[in-house]
């Protein structure tokens, strides 16, 4: 059964980016190992520890569609027209850019984004890779799981992942834990 999963790399103090949207300190684990993990694009091949590589390959095999916010789409320049996961991308936005790549859908709200992404994902998972959109999905009761790539760094300030929840507290299951090099992968189900 497919799930809607929020996934982010996060600092120990709860940030998914620094104040300038920088992520270098949070994604170092994707290049600190000996095991190569190719993606759907030539410009993004990961080199990870064996545990992280196994975790990433398994996770990538289950992803059928990705949901992002317009801010992430803009700062990544639409990933050059193809996301590294090689799956359809649904962007929550009130407008569609003139140069929107084929395979990207632009929708105005979280409910429609989840519906469109689930249709495109088939029996695979939908992954939300955007802080505000993940918060909206959680508040709307649409999120099934939260996967955290916990990085041993304290940023002190920046972009928090779940800063403005309107329906808190949210209970989570005990985590599944995979210890990598410079990262601990944690997977929680949302308890309803």
């Amino acid at each position: 059964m497919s799930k809607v999963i929020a996934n982010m790399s996060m600092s120990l103090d709860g940030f998914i980016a620094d104040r300038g949207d920088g992520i270098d300190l949070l994604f170092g684990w994707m290049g600190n190992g000996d095991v190569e993990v190719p993606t759907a694009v030539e410009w993004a091949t990961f080199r990870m520890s064996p545990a992280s590589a196994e975790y990433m390959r398994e996770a990538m095999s289950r992803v059928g569609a990705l949901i992002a916010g317009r801010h992430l789409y803009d700062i990544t320049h639409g990933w050059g027209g193809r996301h590294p996961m090689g799956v359809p991308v649904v962007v929550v936005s009130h407008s569609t850019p003139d140069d929107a790549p084929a395979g990207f859908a632009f929708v105005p709200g979280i409910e429609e984004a989840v519906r469109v992404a689930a249709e495109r994902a088939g029996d695979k998972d939908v992954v939300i890779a955007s802080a505000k959109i993940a918060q909206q999905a959680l508040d709307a009761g649409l999120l099934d799981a939260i996967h955290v790539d916990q990085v041993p760094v304290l940023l002190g300030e920046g972009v928090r992942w779940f800063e403005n929840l309107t329906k808190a507290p949210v209970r989570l299951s005990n985590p599944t834990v995979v210890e990598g090099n410079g990262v601990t992968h944690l997977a929680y189900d949302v308890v309803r």
Side-chain angles (χ1 to χ4, degrees):
M1 184 166 137
S2 64
K3 292 182 174 182
V4 177
I5 301 168
N7 179 242
M8 290 285 199
S9 286
M10 183 176 73
S11 68
L12 190 58
D13 53 349
F15 297 101
I16 58 154
D18 64 25
R19 291 185 84 198
D21 288 323
I23 57 171
D24 291 346
L25 291 173
L26 300 173
F27 284 83
W29 65 272
M30 291 182 163
N32 69 2
D34 297 327
V35 181
E36 191 170 285
V37 179
T39 68
V41 295
E42 288 182 23
W43 53 266
T45 296
F46 307 131
R47 296 193 62 76
M48 304 175 174
S49 69
S52 288
E54 183 178 338
Y55 170 83
M56 182 62 84
R57 285 184 182 126
E58 169 64 21
M60 287 170 58
S61 73
R62 292 190 320 259
V63 177
L66 182 90
I67 297 174
R70 180 61 183 265
H71 179 69
L72 181 60
Y73 173 85
D74 287 344
I75 64 175
T76 64
H77 305 288
W79 297 279
R82 186 165 189 208
H83 190 275
M85 293 294 123
V87 298
V89 177
V90 178
V91 180
V92 179
S93 175
H94 296 292
S95 64
T96 301
D98 293 336
D99 61 347
F104 284 58
F106 290 78
V107 300
I110 188 60
E111 290 84 3
E112 186 177 357
V114 169
R115 182 185 57 75
V116 170
E119 287 172 0
R120 292 178 179 208
D123 62 349
K124 292 190 171 191
D125 293 336
V126 171
V127 173
I128 299 175
S130 180
K132 289 180 183 174
I133 304 307
Q135 289 175 27
Q136 291 172 23
L138 190 57
D139 284 336
L142 299 171
L143 198 61
D144 299 308
I146 297 172
H147 293 186
V148 181
D149 301 313
Q150 186 76 59
V151 179
V153 64
L154 300 171
L155 293 181
E157 61 183 3
V159 179
R160 287 203 183 273
W161 195 1
F162 291 105
E163 185 170 40
N164 299 307
L165 292 176
T166 60
K167 296 185 179 173
V170 175
R171 294 181 42 88
L172 304 174
S173 68
N174 287 328
T176 301
V177 180
V178 174
E179 191 175 329
N181 181 17
V183 65
T184 302
H185 307 285
L186 304 164
Y188 301 89
D189 287 330
V190 175
V191 176
R192 292 191 176 30

